Amino acid sequence: MAALETVASYAAHGGTQGVYRHRSAATGTDMTFAVFLPAQAQTQPAPVLTYLSGLTCTHANVLEKGEYRRAAAEHGIIVVCPDTSPRGEGVADDPAWDLGQGAGFYLNATQDPWRQHFRMESYIADELPAVVAEAFPTLPEAAGIFGHSMGGHGALTLALRHPGHYRSCSAFAPIVAPGQVPWGQKAFAAYLGEDRAEWRRHDAVALIEDGARFAEFLVDVGEADSFLERELRPQLLADACAEAEIPLTLRMQPGYDHSYYFISTFMADQIAWHAERLRV
Amino acid sequence: MAALETVASYAAHGGTQGVYRHRSAATGTDMTFAVFLPAQAQTQPAPVLTYLSGLTCTHANVLEKGEYRRAAAEHGIIVVCPDTSPRGEGVADDPAWDLGQGAGFYLNATQDPWRQHFRMESYIADELPAVVAEAFPTLPEAAGIFGHSMGGHGALTLALRHPGHYRSCSAFAPIVAPGQVPWGQKAFAAYLGEDRAEWRRHDAVALIEDGARFAEFLVDVGEADSFLERELRPQLLADACAEAEIPLTLRMQPGYDHSYYFISTFMADQIAWHAERLRV
């Protein structure tokens, strides 16, 4: 396994907030990610909760604005915050903010020019957990995943597509049915081509309709989210979960928008929810 | 009083995080500041705690990275976050990051070219509280002040210079004796000229030595702060407070640096401390 370079390290909330860089075999690029290590992890292995960010973000947005460290410290959980795509010279990109770098959609692209580096599903589901487990005292089989918007899509679909990988899954304002909304349709057409059957394998609602299952989901969505009706459509997830008898706690939050002011408000609550499910 | 323009407004932690702009009579410029209004303030007046930021910051740094809303919501406290200087075309500046715009040092400059707009003491101590009280349901005589680095200097000196204005005062990594350290000496020479007697009126340690008093202070400083010995020198404050019999709780925090990772770690604790003292 390639070496992990420490980009930065800060004392924070009794633990350590680090930023690391490594050469990813999955993407063929350098990848940067953040890890919060709570004080408890100095003496015993700790559960790992991975946060997937939304469109245009890097690891740094949630690092600075997510307010996750206080709750992670309280519950003794390692929080891992990866980037949203491969980046750099030689990596395909698009002038639009919702395609290419910063918009990897947590899947392995099958189409040119994306398929060479845009392999975020392999990176998040397989490579990064191994890299983290080698460098930090993680508790085996106590992994959770959550995320925001495109990252909520990532959390839901990776949990549904990788049985046994994650014990808990939640989301803030997720794109629940990318195959049915503009952001997802644009990205899936580019990354996966026009085969709609392939799209369904990366769409949380379609995955559930097609038989994928997960223990339960927690989802917070702001009622004042400007993307609510056009891109998020949480009712589609509620309907699919009801039909499949997957317990879903869907909390519509009055007045909240799509920003980190919304995420940070409910961050501690979601982390506490994961902590209950990740305890040994 | 000039109108208050709402730049942005977000639901956050059960209350409202706003950003506002107004024409300041004190500075003769437009000034931007942030206000967090907790849910409790919808039904009754609430205490006001003003946070003064450090060198290079605007209102936005603590807004995004300070993690103050959760504790402010819990305790029902309005948090006001002003800018660190006047800004804009026609406002004097310096190429250095520690002088001019972003480095107002919370005093009224007496020297050219600064004296025209750099009147941050009048702005913070007098004008802004009146603007806030007119626009928001503030509790009279329940005002606290705190800040970081240059803003810690601001909090300490304004509390010492304006008896009756503030009921509580704390600081993160404050510049306690600007007249004895490089950042302060450079700024004071520019803003106040070479009269060292004038410098002493804007230096917390000198103010205490010269007879100014305040009920008590709480100060957190990181032991790994790279500015500790050269710019902060908290022992000078400890010595002055001991001599003057001002209760000072000085907490040296092992491993912490000068960043918002340090500030956000102890933010909730400092807000709880102010809340105890600002209760009616």
Side-chain angles (χ1 to χ4, degrees):
Chain A
M1 191 171 289
L4 206 56
E5 175 195 351
T6 299
V7 177
S9 180
Y10 311 92
H13 288 282
T16 303
Q17 177 62 66
V19 177
Y20 307 94
R21 189 184 297 128
H22 70 128
R23 187 73 189 172
S24 164
T27 67
T29 65
D30 285 351
M31 294 292 289
T32 301
F33 63 95
V35 175
F36 175 70
L37 205 65
Q40 295 90 327
Q42 291 170 2
T43 53
Q44 56 187 341
V48 176
L49 180 58
T50 298
Y51 176 90
L52 303 181
S53 292
L55 288 165
T56 77
C57 289
T58 69
H59 69 284
N61 302 69
V62 69
L63 181 73
E64 298 181 348
K65 303 180 184 179
E67 303 191 15
Y68 59 84
R69 282 176 290 272
R70 187 174 171 82
E74 179 186 342
H75 297 288
I77 290 180
I78 297 170
V79 178
V80 177
C81 304
D83 203 346
T84 53
S85 79
R87 296 177 190 273
E89 283 183 37
V91 176
D93 202 5
D94 186 279
W97 58 270
D98 55 1
L99 190 66
Q101 296 185 31
F105 271 83
Y106 304 104
L107 51 76
N108 292 346
T110 60
Q111 306 296 303
D112 286 326
W114 311 107
R115 63 181 178 171
Q116 185 186 358
H117 296 296
F118 281 70
R119 301 182 55 80
M120 289 299 289
E121 180 169 14
S122 293
Y123 178 68
I124 299 292
D126 296 319
E127 185 180 18
L128 184 59
V131 168
V132 168
E134 181 165 301
F136 303 97
T138 64
L139 196 61
E141 299 179 15
I145 193 161
F146 68 154
H148 172 235
S149 195
M150 176 183 75
H153 145 75
L156 294 169
T157 54
L158 296 192
L160 288 162
R161 284 171 56 79
H162 298 273
H165 271 47
Y166 306 104
R167 196 188 291 177
S168 58
C169 176
S170 73
F172 303 96
I175 304 170
V176 302
Q180 299 185 51
V181 304
W183 278 340
Q185 290 166 335
K186 177 179 179 179
F188 282 13
Y191 298 144
L192 301 174
E194 292 303 334
D195 178 4
R196 296 277 172 145
E198 185 61 20
W199 289 22
R200 293 186 68 82
R201 290 194 274 274
H202 298 279
D203 176 306
V205 165
L207 280 162
I208 294 168
E209 289 171 351
D210 294 346
R213 293 292 179 266
F214 195 75
E216 58 180 325
F217 296 117
L218 168 65
V219 172
D220 286 299
V221 182
E223 287 187 351
D225 190 316
S226 58
F227 302 111
L228 182 61
E229 296 304 329
R230 183 176 164 87
E231 304 287 359
L232 308 182
R233 302 180 64 184
Q235 190 57 44
L236 294 176
L237 182 67
D239 293 345
C241 284
E243 177 71 19
E245 297 183 353
I246 297 174
L248 165 69
T249 303
L250 172 61
R251 304 189 296 203
M252 298 302 300
Q253 304 288 2
Y256 286 87
D257 65 11
H258 201 65
S259 72
Y260 270 95
Y261 297 99
F262 157 65
I263 299 169
S264 62
T265 295
F266 300 103
M267 177 62 81
D269 196 56
Q270 288 211 4
I271 287 177
W273 185 89
H274 283 275
E276 282 181 23
R277 285 150 185 84
L278 295 176
R279 263 183 215 126
V280 244
Chain B
M1 190 171 292
L4 206 56
E5 175 194 352
T6 300
V7 177
S9 180
Y10 311 91
H13 288 282
T16 303
Q17 177 64 66
V19 178
Y20 307 94
R21 189 184 297 127
H22 71 126
R23 188 72 189 172
S24 164
T27 67
T29 65
D30 285 351
M31 292 294 288
T32 301
F33 63 95
V35 175
F36 175 70
L37 206 64
Q40 296 90 327
Q42 292 171 1
T43 52
Q44 55 187 343
V48 176
L49 181 57
T50 298
Y51 176 90
L52 302 181
S53 292
L55 287 165
T56 77
C57 290
T58 69
H59 69 284
N61 303 69
V62 69
L63 182 72
E64 297 181 348
K65 303 180 185 178
E67 304 192 15
Y68 59 83
R69 281 175 290 271
R70 186 173 171 84
E74 179 186 343
H75 297 288
I77 289 180
I78 297 170
V79 178
V80 176
C81 305
D83 203 346
T84 52
S85 79
R87 295 178 192 272
E89 284 184 36
V91 176
D93 202 4
D94 187 278
W97 57 269
D98 55 0
L99 191 65
Q101 296 184 33
F105 271 82
Y106 305 105
L107 50 76
N108 292 346
T110 59
Q111 305 296 302
D112 286 327
W114 311 106
R115 63 181 179 171
Q116 185 185 359
H117 297 295
F118 281 71
R119 300 182 56 80
M120 289 298 291
E121 179 169 14
S122 293
Y123 177 68
I124 299 293
D126 296 320
E127 184 180 18
L128 184 59
V131 168
V132 168
E134 181 165 301
F136 303 97
T138 64
L139 196 61
E141 299 178 15
I145 192 160
F146 68 154
H148 171 236
S149 195
M150 176 184 74
H153 145 76
L156 295 169
T157 54
L158 296 191
L160 288 162
R161 284 172 56 79
H162 298 272
H165 272 47
Y166 306 104
R167 196 188 291 177
S168 57
C169 176
S170 73
F172 303 96
I175 305 169
V176 303
Q180 299 185 52
V181 304
W183 279 341
Q185 290 167 335
K186 177 179 178 178
F188 282 13
Y191 298 144
L192 301 173
E194 292 303 332
D195 178 5
R196 296 275 172 144
E198 184 61 20
W199 289 22
R200 293 186 67 83
R201 290 192 275 272
H202 299 278
D203 177 305
V205 165
L207 279 162
I208 294 167
E209 289 172 351
D210 294 346
R213 292 294 179 265
F214 194 76
E216 58 180 325
F217 297 118
L218 168 65
V219 172
D220 286 299
V221 182
E223 287 187 351
D225 190 317
S226 58
F227 303 110
L228 182 62
E229 295 305 328
R230 184 175 163 88
E231 304 287 0
L232 307 182
R233 302 180 65 184
Q235 190 58 42
L236 294 176
L237 181 66
D239 293 344
C241 284
E243 177 70 20
E245 297 183 356
I246 297 174
L248 165 68
T249 303
L250 173 60
R251 304 189 295 203
M252 298 303 299
Q253 304 287 3
Y256 287 88
D257 65 11
H258 201 64
S259 72
Y260 270 96
Y261 298 98
F262 158 65
I263 299 170
S264 62
T265 295
F266 300 102
M267 178 62 81
D269 196 55
Q270 287 213 5
I271 288 178
W273 185 89
H274 282 275
E276 281 180 24
R277 285 149 185 83
L278 295 176
R279 263 182 215 126
V280 243

